[in-house]
Amino acid sequence: MKVYKFGGASVKDASGVRNLKEIVACAGDDLMVVISAMGKTTNALERVVAALAQKDEATADNEWLAVLDYHVHLAMELGLKPNEDIRFPMMPEYDHTCSYDQNYDQIVSQGEILSTQIVAVYLLKSGIRTEWWNMPKLLRTDNTFREAQVDMQASAQVIRAGWDRPNRPSVVVTQGFIGGTADYCTVFEPTASEYQANGTWHIVASVGEQSGEIPYTSFIALDSYINDNQETLKGFLRAIKKAYDFMN
């Protein structure tokens, strides 16, 4: 495993992200790319937290919209389509029943989430096999908000299990400076069974079994596949429409 760390200044604009792509493309396989929040995003999100703590929603809204505007424009400069290639979140809520530090960690960490999602999608659309990892589900810490201590043994076990999965993409993009404490999470198959087989965790419940049948389907594809396989996709949509009409 090779780990490349990129600070916020190195990905503060589209030019910096393109430079990151060139570095990654030359680095070969088995690469973990750790990225901070872009530019001065952390400072801006700190202002969001401070405003929400004071119940100054107008200031918080303005600061949050400025953060979103910055990331949307950067993504567009990279050729990404907002809410199609990448979905941007609503402003996180501030829970006044929790401590300031806990809210700080929940909100300010959105900077790293945004930066890594943009970079991961850009690398993927540039032809680099890439997987995005949500580090709060992997890096295990205690409950000391803003100054958490990492459980190195538990974290290494989970991360290694994910890293050693068969057919893992050559590049993993993830966040720096954030971790998690949750004992439970929801994941799709086959990931859940792979982790259980590795002895990393145990499956305690099935969403399908607990909730009953939920009929749904989805289709995810790159723009290049969509452009080159119009008839296949039209046939897929016709089949979905027929199934929907039959069920209703």
Side-chain angles (χ1 to χ4, degrees), residues 18 24 144 148 173 193 209 234:
R18 294 189 187 99
V24 169
T144 309
V173 174
S193 294
E209 292 178 356
K234 289 177 182 177

Side-chain angles (χ1 to χ4, degrees), residues 183-189 191-193 196 201-212:
D183 291 323
Y184 303 95
C185 64
T186 303
V187 296
F188 288 105
E189 289 287 11
T191 304
S193 294
Q196 179 164 269
W201 61 30
H202 299 283
I203 298 174
V204 297
S206 165
V207 174
E209 292 178 356
Q210 297 296 322
S211 62

Side-chain angles (χ1 to χ4, degrees), residues 1-247:
M1 179 193 299
K2 295 174 290 187
V3 179
Y4 285 11
K5 170 66 171 64
F6 294 87
S10 65
V11 290
K12 67 179 180 180
D13 52 30
S15 176
V17 177
R18 294 189 187 99
N19 183 60
L20 178 152
K21 182 198 73 173
E22 296 303 320
I23 294 172
V24 169
C26 295
D29 295 339
D30 292 333
L31 178 64
M32 178 177 286
V33 180
V34 181
I35 305 174
S36 298
M38 293 173 162
K40 299 295 184 180
T41 298
T42 296
N43 303 91
L45 290 173
E46 287 177 330
R47 293 193 292 271
V48 172
V49 178
L52 289 173
Q54 298 297 321
K55 299 184 179 181
D56 183 356
E57 295 187 1
T59 298
D61 284 342
N62 288 334
E63 292 287 356
W64 176 255
L65 289 174
V67 169
L68 282 189
D69 185 66
Y70 166 64
H71 286 85
V72 166
H73 279 84
L74 193 153
M76 292 175 65
E77 285 187 56
L78 294 170
L80 304 181
K81 300 176 182 178
N83 295 322
E84 182 174 326
D85 293 321
I86 182 169
R87 297 191 180 278
F88 291 93
M90 302 290 288
M91 184 172 68
E93 295 184 359
Y94 189 101
D95 188 346
H96 288 276
T97 66
C98 298
S99 68
Y100 180 89
D101 287 348
Q102 183 171 352
N103 280 285
Y104 180 100
D105 279 358
Q106 294 294 320
I107 296 173
V108 173
S109 62
Q110 292 300 308
E112 281 78 14
I113 298 296
L114 282 167
S115 67
T116 53
Q117 287 180 337
I118 290 173
V119 171
V121 173
Y122 176 64
L123 293 177
L124 189 62
K125 291 179 72 67
S126 298
I128 299 174
R129 294 183 64 243
T130 304
E131 186 170 77
W132 181 82
W133 280 13
N134 188 7
M135 192 52 73
K137 292 185 177 181
L138 304 172
L139 192 68
R140 309 308 303 274
T141 71
D142 62 18
N143 288 315
T144 309
F145 297 103
R146 298 185 70 178
E147 296 183 359
Q149 298 297 309
V150 177
D151 184 332
M152 298 299 294
Q153 183 176 357
S155 299
Q157 185 180 18
V158 176
I159 291 171
R160 175 54 64 184
W163 190 262
D164 291 341
R165 286 178 10 251
N167 301 317
R168 172 186 50 77
S170 56
V171 176
V172 167
V173 174
T174 192
Q175 309 84 37
F177 307 111
I178 59 177
T181 61
D183 291 323
Y184 303 95
C185 64
T186 303
V187 296
F188 288 105
E189 289 287 11
T191 304
S193 294
E194 289 172 350
Y195 273 66
Q196 179 164 269
N198 288 333
T200 304
W201 61 30
H202 299 283
I203 298 174
V204 297
S206 165
V207 174
E209 292 178 356
Q210 297 296 322
S211 62
E213 294 184 357
I214 304 176
Y216 79 96
T217 189
S218 63
F219 184 85
I220 302 173
L222 295 174
D223 288 343
S224 57
Y225 183 89
I226 294 174
N227 293 333
D228 296 340
N229 298 273
Q230 290 289 308
E231 292 306 314
T232 299
L233 294 179
K234 289 177 182 177
F236 177 82
L237 292 175
R238 284 194 293 269
I240 294 297
K241 178 63 166 59
K242 289 180 179 179
Y244 179 83
D245 291 341
F246 175 81
M247 293 172 60

